[in-house]
Amino acid sequence: MNFVELKRLYDQPLFDLITQSRAAHLEHWRGEQVQRCSLLSIKTGGCSEDCAYCAQSSHYSTGVAREELLPVDEIMHAAQRARAQGATRFCMGAAWRGVRDGTAKFEQVLATIREVSQLGMEVCVTLGEIGPNEARRLKEAGVTAYNHNIDTSPEFYPEIVSTHTFAARLTTIAAVQESGMSVCCGGIVGMGESADDRLRMLEVLSNFQPPPESVPINCLMAMPGTPLAGQPPIDIFDLVRLIALTRLALPRARVRLAAGRTRLTREGQALCFFAGANSIFYGNKLLTAANPAADADVALLRALGLEIEPNEDSEGRGTAVSGDTWRV
Ligand code: SAM
Ligand code: SF4
């Protein structure tokens, strides 16, 4: 879709917009299913980049301690725990500008992926900039999807990051597409961008060939010490509109209600699910930021009559973890 088409849809009365997005959602997905993903920071802090939202940038004093790449067994332990809690996708994030083939850290990541991919969950990694060789080797090791967010519009991006360019993000995404891995790519709202910036971001995403398999919509977590620490939360109806529009622009994509759910009410999240979000990040922590407690999420999905998607652990025995049935 182009900007004009997106804007025409976006500017409708909210109920007209979500009626259309709900119809698109039900055409391609079971409307009651919500995928739960788990996200682990495998290398935290000390990043060379100056992304204004990020607590892991070494440019800001955020109190996030720099840690080395986690050992394989520690990551495996976290992945097994996530699966036991019902996650069907396990995402691993590293606070790097990028990673290169031929380095010890890349080999360690590949070894980790080979093990984690045996667990039967989708495996997603976000390691920053990569090229065709890295993409090919990650796919061979068992990665399902590579996350690389464009985060905002091409026009607003330089306001947020000065150490790399929007074009460099697209180059990495092209390498991922070429390798045959799925692309997970979305953005952040609430950084001070305009509504048009959000639509321009969506215009870029909806013109990817092939379209992204997964689109995380993050609400800014205003992290103390970052330049965006004082940003107010995004208006809930602006978020719901954006989710509905994402569902219309990318009907087959997983639309993930990602970071920032701690700032949303239960009612706000319910509207997001109705508008087309069909995945959440689950677990008490999201990289370095807080996330709603797993129990609270299960209670919310249960209250809405939504289903959590069964994982291999739950198949055949009707329970995901003790006391936690498929239909939560
Ligand atoms: N370094 C890699 C990169 O930049 O692609 C991967 C890790 S980075 C932390 C992954 C994504 O997390 C970012 O692209 C951004 O969308 C999201 N993110 C990071 N900090 C955030 C915050 N404070 N609020 C919302 N989303 C955030
Ligand atoms: Fe580094 Fe990624 Fe954070 Fe930017 S978003 S500072 S590249 S970890």
Side-chain angles (χ1 to χ4, degrees):
M1 279 191 198
N2 64 34
F3 179 80
V4 174
E5 291 166 317
L6 289 165
K7 186 141 178 79
R8 189 180 47 76
L9 289 168
Y10 187 82
D11 285 342
Q12 296 178 94
L14 181 65
F15 289 170
D16 291 349
L17 176 59
I18 59 179
T19 301
Q20 291 158 26
S21 71
R22 182 71 181 164
H25 191 166
L26 295 179
E27 210 175 296
H28 299 283
W29 298 92
R30 287 189 49 213
E32 65 278 23
Q33 280 195 336
V34 177
Q35 185 186 40
R36 290 181 297 167
C37 314
S38 178
L39 174 60
L40 177 70
S41 179
I42 61 169
K43 194 277 164 192
T44 304
C47 183
S48 62
E49 303 308 285
D50 69 353
C51 310
Y53 51 81
C54 187
Q56 305 201 67
S57 165
S58 61
H59 295 253
Y60 318 122
S61 301
T62 62
V64 171
R66 185 201 170 101
E67 289 171 19
E68 291 311 311
L69 181 58
L70 294 180
V72 178
D73 56 346
E74 211 170 303
I75 299 172
M76 270 303 275
H77 184 73
Q80 279 159 341
R81 207 167 147 255
R83 188 176 74 158
Q85 288 183 328
T88 58
R89 183 160 169 128
F90 189 68
C91 310
M92 293 171 269
W96 288 326
R97 177 190 172 119
V99 64
R100 285 285 159 255
D101 194 13
T103 58
K105 64 184 186 184
F106 190 56
E107 291 302 327
Q108 193 178 324
V109 169
L110 292 173
T112 304
I113 292 163
R114 283 185 204 106
E115 296 223 3
V116 171
S117 60
Q118 302 304 311
L119 295 176
M121 291 181 286
E122 298 170 8
V123 178
C124 178
V125 289
T126 180
L127 312 170
E129 285 175 16
I130 57 168
N133 283 344
E134 291 82 13
R136 180 181 45 80
R137 296 201 66 205
L138 287 166
K139 176 159 171 61
E140 282 166 9
V143 170
T144 317
Y146 194 86
N147 165 269
H148 203 61
N149 293 331
I150 56 170
D151 282 324
T152 190
S153 67
E155 294 78 11
F156 193 64
Y157 200 78
E159 309 277 320
I160 296 297
V161 185
S162 77
T163 48
H164 59 258
T165 61
F166 191 87
R169 301 298 279 182
L170 297 181
T171 304
T172 289
I173 291 161
V176 173
Q177 288 171 324
E178 195 115 318
S179 76
M181 276 187 291
S182 297
V183 169
C184 170
C185 184
I188 308 179
V189 292
M191 299 191 292
E193 74 286 343
S194 65
D196 282 1
D197 283 313
R198 294 175 198 148
L199 302 193
R200 286 202 188 92
M201 172 178 86
L202 213 46
E203 181 184 32
V204 174
L205 293 175
S206 71
N207 284 299
F208 281 1
Q209 289 301 339
E213 169 249 0
S214 156
V215 180
I217 303 290
N218 295 289
C219 298
L220 176 74
M221 302 285 290
M223 303 302 276
T226 64
L228 300 183
Q231 279 294 322
I234 178 183
D235 183 88
I236 183 63
F237 298 128
D238 289 347
L239 176 64
V240 172
R241 272 182 193 280
L242 189 70
I243 286 178
L245 198 58
T246 307
R247 174 53 66 220
L248 285 168
L250 292 155
R252 293 174 195 276
R254 278 273 177 201
V255 177
R256 305 188 193 273
L257 190 53
R261 285 193 300 116
T262 47
R263 280 183 167 189
L264 302 182
T265 62
R266 281 156 45 97
E267 296 84 348
Q269 292 182 65
L271 261 179
C272 292
F273 293 131
F274 191 72
N278 60 351
S279 171
I280 55 170
F281 284 94
Y282 185 70
N284 301 350
K285 207 169 171 198
L286 255 193
L287 295 179
T288 64
N291 202 38
D295 289 358
D297 280 338
V298 169
L300 174 61
L301 296 175
R302 181 181 286 136
L304 298 176
L306 293 174
E307 282 179 19
I308 39 180
E309 291 189 349
N311 65 13
E312 280 194 348
D313 275 358
S314 57
E315 244 150 14
R317 63 186 169 91
T319 55
V321 283
S322 51
D324 184 7
T325 58
W326 290 10
R327 192 175 179 91
V328 288

